[in-house]
């Protein structure tokens, strides 16, 4: 695969606040081009929203960041052009009814029509088709996905892929555009220990070629630049004595409950009423190299992510 110059990523006091509070805040980062950056934290701690904000898909409300020299939030469109989204649930989902060949063909057609300068469309059709075919082959080689080794070859349906094969395909689709930064959500989700090691080795190899990699995970490897997010603190209303027979300490799979939102369509890019929201600096302590200890609940992060999908 052709080496792509990576994008350096910097952030200073970076944050996003929604109607229910902070999705993430106090993020500090300084990672050079070609870095492997891991956003580590539990589900619902703002990991995906942070990934989308650093790639220009979600508008932050505090601090600033730079991706590839483009300052956020002013240059969100420029950042989107140099960033490729791998698997991000709800944003770049694969169509389970399509075959692997159809997914690749669809992405190649979109890249050929919208992914380059307008003058490129003036080239002969055969030349453009050959260039796109070469990009697809490069992307497949970069992720180690051999189509002939699949159960039905290129005609294998997406629904029949293993979790690791699906991850490889999603990353290959993103690499067709030769991005300077590759973003991957849930990089280690539903993978065995051996598969998780393979996934991280894949992401390391992409970073080694020069492309910066930003990956969300539950446990970061030791050689990555790590950003840590934390779950929201317990609701003060829950400090009361628990009912008999209930465990006062929630288990690892238990998510804190939150009050329902009367507004079904919140806008995470809008600034809430400053008189109705507490000052984030007075209620939380920032963690160096990561996100602040005060995060919004899982519901707030989900609302912000829903708005990103609509945009």
């Amino acid at each position: 695969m052709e080496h792509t110059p990576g994008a350096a990523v910097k952030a200073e006091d970076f944050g996003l606040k929604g109607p229910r509070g902070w999705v993430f805040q106090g993020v500090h980062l300084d990672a050079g081009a070609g870095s492997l950056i891991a956003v580590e934290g539990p589900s619902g701690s703002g990991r995906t929203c942070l990934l989308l904000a650093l790639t220009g898909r979600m508008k932050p409300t505090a601090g600033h960041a730079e991706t590839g020299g483009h300052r956020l939030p002013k240059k969100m469109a420029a950042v989107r052009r140099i960033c490729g989204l791998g698997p991000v649930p709800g944003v770049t989902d694969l169509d389970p009814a399509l075959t692997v060949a159809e997914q690749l063909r669809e992405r190649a057609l979109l890249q050929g029509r919208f992914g380059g300068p307008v003058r490129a469309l003036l080239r002969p059709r055969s030349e453009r088709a050959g260039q796109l075919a070469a990009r697809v082959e490069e992307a497949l080689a970069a992720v180690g996905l051999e189509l002939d080794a699949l159960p039905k070859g290129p005609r294998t349906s997406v629904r029949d892929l293993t979790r690791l094969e699906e991850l490889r395909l999603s990353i290959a689709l993103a690499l067709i555009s030769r991005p300077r930064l590759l973003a991957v959500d849930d990089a280690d989700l539903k993978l065995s220990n051996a598969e998780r090691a393979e996934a991280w080795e894949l992401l390391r190899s992409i970073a080694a070629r020069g492309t910066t990699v930003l990956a969300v995970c539950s446990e970061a490897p030791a050689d990555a630049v790590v950003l840590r997010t934390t779950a929201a603190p317990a609701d003060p209303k829950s400090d009361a004595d628990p009912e008999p027979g209930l465990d006062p300490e929630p288990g690892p799979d238990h998510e804190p409950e939150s009050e329902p939102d009367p507004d079904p369509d919140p806008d995470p890019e809008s600034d809430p009423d400053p008189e109705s929201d507490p000052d984030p600096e007075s209620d939380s302590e920032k963690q160096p190299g990561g996100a602040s200890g005060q995060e919004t609940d899982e519901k707030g992060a989900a609302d912000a992510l829903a708005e990103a999908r609509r945009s």
Side-chain angles (χ1 to χ4, degrees):
M1 180 177 176
E2 181 177 311
H3 289 203
T4 303
V9 184
K10 300 180 181 180
E12 183 176 348
D13 204 22
F14 198 51
L16 187 151
K17 193 174 187 181
R20 293 184 178 85
W22 289 100
V23 179
F24 62 83
Q25 68 174 132
V27 174
H28 296 271
L29 175 65
D30 189 354
S35 297
L36 175 60
I37 308 169
V39 182
E40 179 187 86
S43 177
S45 61
R47 304 176 307 173
T48 301
C49 293
L50 177 56
L51 177 143
L52 293 173
L54 289 173
T55 55
R57 268 79 177 181
M58 187 171 287
K59 187 175 182 180
T61 54
H64 68 273
E66 285 188 8
T67 300
H70 302 293
R71 191 177 179 90
L72 293 168
K74 291 184 178 180
K75 300 293 184 178
M76 293 178 65
V79 170
R80 287 195 295 271
R81 285 194 292 268
I82 65 171
C83 295
L85 287 187
V88 180
V91 180
T92 59
D93 297 300
L94 301 177
D95 189 336
L98 295 181
T99 66
V100 173
E102 288 169 339
Q103 288 277 188
L104 292 167
R105 188 180 304 115
E106 179 185 65
R107 184 61 60 91
L109 289 173
L110 290 173
Q111 175 64 30
R113 181 64 181 84
F114 303 105
V118 177
R119 64 177 178 273
L121 299 176
L122 301 177
R123 297 173 182 171
R125 180 176 298 180
S126 59
E127 179 182 345
R128 288 185 280 126
Q131 291 175 342
L132 287 175
R135 286 198 179 198
V136 172
E137 291 299 324
E138 290 174 357
L140 291 174
V143 301
L145 184 61
E146 298 181 6
L147 300 188
D148 293 337
L150 298 176
K152 297 181 181 179
R155 297 178 61 85
T156 302
S157 296
V158 170
R159 64 167 61 92
D160 295 328
L161 297 177
T162 66
R163 163 62 181 161
L164 187 57
E165 290 170 341
E166 187 177 340
L167 179 66
R168 292 182 187 276
L169 176 59
S170 294
I171 294 175
L173 293 172
L175 292 180
I176 290 176
S177 64
R178 292 175 180 165
R180 296 177 59 191
L181 183 146
L182 169 69
V184 179
D185 195 13
D186 290 333
D188 55 1
L189 180 67
K190 296 181 181 179
L191 295 178
S192 65
N193 291 336
E195 291 172 334
R196 187 176 296 112
E198 285 189 53
W200 283 116
E201 188 58 34
L202 165 61
L203 296 178
R204 286 190 192 94
S205 68
I206 294 172
R209 292 182 173 94
T211 303
T212 303
V213 176
L214 178 64
V216 167
C217 61
S218 57
E219 184 176 354
D223 58 342
V225 179
V226 182
L227 276 174
R228 290 186 174 86
T229 60
T230 56
D235 189 337
K237 296 180 181 180
S238 65
D239 291 339
D241 293 336
E243 297 178 8
L246 296 181
D247 185 357
E249 295 295 333
D253 296 330
H254 179 80
E255 297 292 342
E257 297 182 355
S258 59
E259 297 181 359
D261 184 9
D263 182 5
D265 187 22
D267 182 7
E269 299 186 4
S270 62
D271 291 328
D273 185 358
E275 296 181 358
S276 62
D277 290 308
D279 182 4
E281 298 291 342
S282 63
D283 294 333
S284 63
E285 296 182 357
K286 297 177 183 176
Q287 301 176 359
S292 166
Q294 180 169 343
E295 305 285 349
T296 190
D297 56 9
E298 183 179 7
K299 190 89 172 164
D303 288 342
L305 179 56
E307 180 62 25
R309 295 169 186 165
R310 288 193 292 272
S311 62

